[in-house]
Amino acid sequence: MWSISTFTVVACLLCKTLAQGFGPGFSQANGKTKLLASSFGDPGVEQTFDYVVIGGGTAGLTVAARLAEDRELSVAVVEAGSFYEITGAGNQTQIPAYESLYLSAPPTIEWETFTTPQMQLNKRSARNGMVYQRGTAGSHQAWADAVGDSAYEFEKLLPFFKKSVNFAAPNIDVRGGPAIPYQSSACDPADGPLHVAYWNDYLEASPYIRNALQEAGFRETDGIESGSLLGFAQWPATVDPDAMVRDSSETSFGRQAIESTTLRFYLASTAKKILFSGKKATGFMVETAGMTYKLKARKELVLAAGAFRTPQLLMVSGIGPAEQLSALDIPMVSELPGVGQELWDQPSFYTVFPVNVTTLNQLFSNATYLAEASQAYVNAHTGPLSIFSGNYLAWERLPNSSFSRLSPSAQADLNAYPPDWPDMQYTPTPLGPILPNDTGNYISLAMTMQKTTSRGDVRINSTDTAANPLVNVNWLATSTDQQLAVQGIRRARAIQSHFGAVKSGPEIAPGEAVTTDAQILAYLRETVITIHRAAGTCKMGRADDPKAVVDSHGRLLGGLQGLRVVDASAIPVLPPGQTMATV
């Protein structure tokens, strides 16, 4: 079996990166020389910068790179990981088709944070794709209203969305399939460093998926980048349009900053504690390879460690609910009861059925198919390796036939959301279970709840940030969420019925014996999963909101100074769809 070796892909990409900006380890511009090594900090040595950012992910690298564009400022970013291409996952981090494997990345790349046992999920516990899509206008209006700041309205945010993106129009001649409706005014080309493009392949199963969605009542929309989601669409991804290689905050903002700014990276380094002088944050205690040292800030400290790690770092530093801090004898700097509370998430579940058309399962079971796909990817940057998940996404408010089956209280809960806010997202993927010796073809129809009434929390049982926080996602904890999830499965089966003769056998999951609401709910409790959209654990809000942690500028409340939160934990109203573009 011929395939692309991990070493070959990684070596080629790193060589390309060096060649583009750093040749033999340095770059030259305007008669000045910059050494590559000067982009990396000196572990163990106390340093002072204007800004220190904790977290080198989507939020952290964007903010750090933007700050560092001002050559008068000194900026450092502390990241617990490294360059993901060389930390143990190889091709999974870069080739789009392997993204589903990357979501279960090795511990060299992710924290392996598990949830606390979920009683409503039979005591189960749990462990981002590449979709670039924005929230609805109504969800952003709800955000603006919640925090009293019109800056979060969609039209006012749109210029900033566009500023990050380098958009490429679909190449139908290369990819095939029908034309893709989209609003070009929402994605200007060459504005930002993050590549956003459409896949260079239209999968064999995609025409049947499109037909099933249309027959089930969905209409094609061109607005998923423009504040409107209801309907179905072919979606753009964070991918280089020429090489069809995954793009990310590291490969876009991070590498641009290395090439053109003085941003300093501290990799494989962990923030242990926030340092204070009274209530003014002055720096971080950082650990790298067993060395503990201080990184101080003249202007501000910026937290971008994510929805789980940002509240953890605040709590171990003395900011949070009083009972959490006192239980671990942590001296209180400021009591903010909302730290770690109000965890929003969008739980996901799926149906699976066999089909008689070729699907991505063949990449994992058919050596000849993989070899041909590898050749197409290497030589022409097309084929099934150049695509993750599928070509289509869909969103809807449940049709009356489904909505009417909900209780009046559940209907009221869902109707409390803005009218452009979907109840459910559907992700039809030509890929099913990857099992030994299984050569079949499958379609998985994933459903993701866009409206939820259950809220979780993040707590700590250690003062050491090396210990994972206690994450209680609290999925399906309310009757409304349970009813919506059950109707989601029923609606997915209705969509499934429109595949006609393409469906080649009985449903695999949940299985055709699962028919009653109670049976479906039991299935959901055993199989519901995360798709990594947690938010709200340091939520933004008005000063009179007892659960608010930061103001509308991300600045910590509670009389604190010099400290700001900029990641998903600050989002007070989780918009529908994927969170990457929003963050």
Side-chain angles (χ1 to χ4, degrees):
M1 180 174 69
W2 185 90
S3 64
I4 310 169
S5 74
T6 299
F7 174 80
T8 300
V9 171
V10 170
C12 288
L13 284 165
L14 292 182
C15 287
K16 177 181 177 182
T17 300
L18 292 175
Q20 287 177 337
F22 280 94
F26 64 88
S27 65
Q28 291 181 313
N30 301 321
K32 296 182 179 181
T33 298
K34 180 186 177 183
L35 299 177
L36 175 60
S38 66
S39 293
F40 300 92
D42 300 317
V45 179
E46 183 174 316
Q47 296 269 3
T48 300
F49 299 88
D50 290 313
Y51 294 91
V52 181
V53 180
I54 299 298
T58 302
L61 279 183
T62 303
V63 169
R66 295 293 190 207
L67 288 170
E69 289 175 358
D70 185 341
R71 307 288 292 192
E72 300 299 316
L73 296 176
S74 59
V75 184
V77 59
V78 178
E79 166 56 36
S82 181
F83 295 105
Y84 55 75
E85 300 92 340
I86 56 174
T87 49
N91 289 349
Q92 295 177 21
T93 69
Q94 296 176 292
I95 297 176
Y98 294 154
E99 174 74 4
S100 57
L101 303 178
Y102 181 42
L103 293 178
S104 298
T108 53
I109 288 179
E110 72 152 30
W111 287 100
E112 291 194 312
T113 301
F114 293 82
T115 71
T116 57
Q118 302 290 290
M119 300 304 293
Q120 77 283 4
L121 305 181
N122 300 333
K123 299 186 179 180
R124 289 176 58 227
S125 61
R127 181 161 162 163
N128 214 346
M130 300 167 65
V131 180
Y132 187 88
Q133 155 266 307
R134 298 161 183 161
T136 63
S139 67
H140 280 281
Q141 186 62 56
W143 183 340
D145 293 343
V147 303
D149 191 339
S150 65
Y152 292 96
E153 294 172 2
F154 185 84
E155 289 301 322
K156 292 182 179 178
L157 284 175
L158 184 58
F160 298 99
F161 283 131
K162 293 163 67 173
K163 185 179 180 180
S164 294
V165 169
N166 187 326
F167 176 76
N171 188 336
I172 299 298
D173 291 338
V174 171
R175 70 191 305 277
I180 301 177
Y182 67 94
Q183 296 181 20
S184 58
S185 61
C187 291
D188 292 340
D191 248 17
L194 180 67
H195 287 102
V196 172
Y198 292 88
W199 305 122
N200 271 357
D201 196 57
Y202 191 71
L203 294 172
E204 184 177 333
S206 291
Y208 304 101
I209 291 171
R210 178 188 180 89
N211 182 69
L213 290 171
Q214 288 178 318
E215 290 190 0
F218 292 83
R219 294 184 178 181
E220 192 165 20
T221 177
D222 64 358
I224 68 171
E225 310 305 329
S226 306
S228 177
L229 291 180
L230 296 173
F232 75 91
Q234 295 194 58
W235 50 279
T238 51
V239 63
D240 185 292
D242 298 318
M244 278 290 122
V245 171
R246 177 177 179 263
D247 208 6
S248 69
S249 55
E250 181 248 296
T251 58
S252 57
F253 287 97
R255 293 191 191 180
Q256 182 188 68
I258 288 175
E259 293 174 9
S260 61
T261 75
T262 59
L263 180 61
R264 193 73 63 87
F265 289 79
Y266 287 80
L267 300 180
S269 302
T270 306
K272 308 301 290 184
K273 190 176 181 180
I274 305 166
L275 305 174
F276 289 92
S277 175
K279 288 200 171 186
K280 179 175 175 55
T282 59
F284 294 106
M285 189 67 71
V286 177
E287 182 179 75
T288 307
M291 298 179 289
T292 301
Y293 54 101
K294 297 176 182 178
L295 293 180
K296 295 183 177 181
R298 299 182 190 90
K299 295 181 179 292
E300 279 192 338
L301 306 178
V302 181
L303 292 183
F308 303 150
R309 299 281 165 175
T310 287
Q312 178 194 36
L313 184 55
L314 287 172
M315 285 187 279
V316 302
S317 303
I319 303 168
E323 71 276 8
Q324 276 279 282
L325 306 184
S326 62
L328 294 171
D329 296 322
I330 299 172
M332 183 181 294
V333 176
S334 182
E335 182 180 2
L336 284 175
V339 173
Q341 306 301 302
E342 299 297 303
L343 170 59
W344 282 55
D345 202 2
Q346 296 177 355
S348 188
F349 34 89
Y350 51 87
T351 65
V352 182
F353 55 96
V355 292
N356 55 21
V357 295
T358 301
T359 69
L360 295 174
N361 282 87
Q362 297 304 306
L363 290 173
F364 306 95
S365 63
N366 185 324
T368 300
Y369 185 83
L370 175 60
E372 292 172 351
S374 298
Q375 290 282 7
Y377 185 75
V378 171
N379 297 327
H381 314 299
T382 188
L385 281 173
S386 71
I387 182 170
F388 165 61
S389 178
N391 293 108
Y392 290 103
L393 291 173
W395 292 265
E396 73 170 352
R397 291 173 65 99
L398 290 178
N400 287 335
S401 58
S402 300
F403 191 78
S404 63
R405 300 184 67 169
L406 302 174
S407 69
S409 62
Q411 292 181 15
D413 286 340
L414 300 184
N415 283 333
Y417 284 78
D420 68 353
W421 196 311
D423 296 321
M424 200 70 68
Q425 174 182 317
Y426 303 93
T427 308
T429 303
L431 176 67
I434 301 170
L435 303 173
N437 304 314
D438 185 352
T439 60
N441 292 295
Y442 304 94
I443 289 178
S444 301
L445 184 49
M447 294 134 281
T448 305
M449 296 174 63
Q450 304 295 279
K451 297 175 180 175
T452 59
T453 57
S454 303
R455 296 290 178 265
D457 59 62
V458 176
R459 304 172 71 84
I460 58 173
N461 63 357
S462 171
T463 58
D464 187 356
T465 57
N468 279 330
L470 305 177
V471 178
N472 169 29
V473 289
N474 212 32
W475 299 327
L476 305 182
T478 66
S479 175
T480 293
D481 290 4
Q482 293 169 12
Q483 291 178 61
L484 176 58
V486 168
Q487 292 309 313
I489 290 287
R490 293 194 180 281
R491 179 63 171 148
R493 284 174 160 174
I495 297 169
Q496 186 185 129
S497 71
H498 292 287
F499 279 85
V502 173
K503 183 180 175 184
S504 60
E507 179 186 78
I508 294 172
E512 296 186 349
V514 177
T515 58
T516 68
D517 286 359
Q519 289 172 328
I520 293 173
L521 183 57
Y523 164 77
L524 291 166
R525 284 174 165 154
E526 292 292 341
T527 58
V528 63
I529 58 173
T530 180
I531 50 173
H532 311 288
R533 300 180 186 175
T537 50
C538 295
K539 82 165 193 172
M540 186 181 294
R542 302 170 188 261
D544 59 357
D545 181 347
K547 291 293 182 69
V549 177
V550 300
D551 67 13
S552 66
H553 297 278
R555 297 172 298 203
L556 266 289
L557 299 172
L560 298 166
Q561 298 177 326
L563 187 59
R564 198 181 297 255
V565 174
V566 300
D567 58 30
S569 68
I571 296 176
V573 177
L574 180 59
Q578 286 62 219
T579 56
M580 175 172 56
T582 302
V583 173

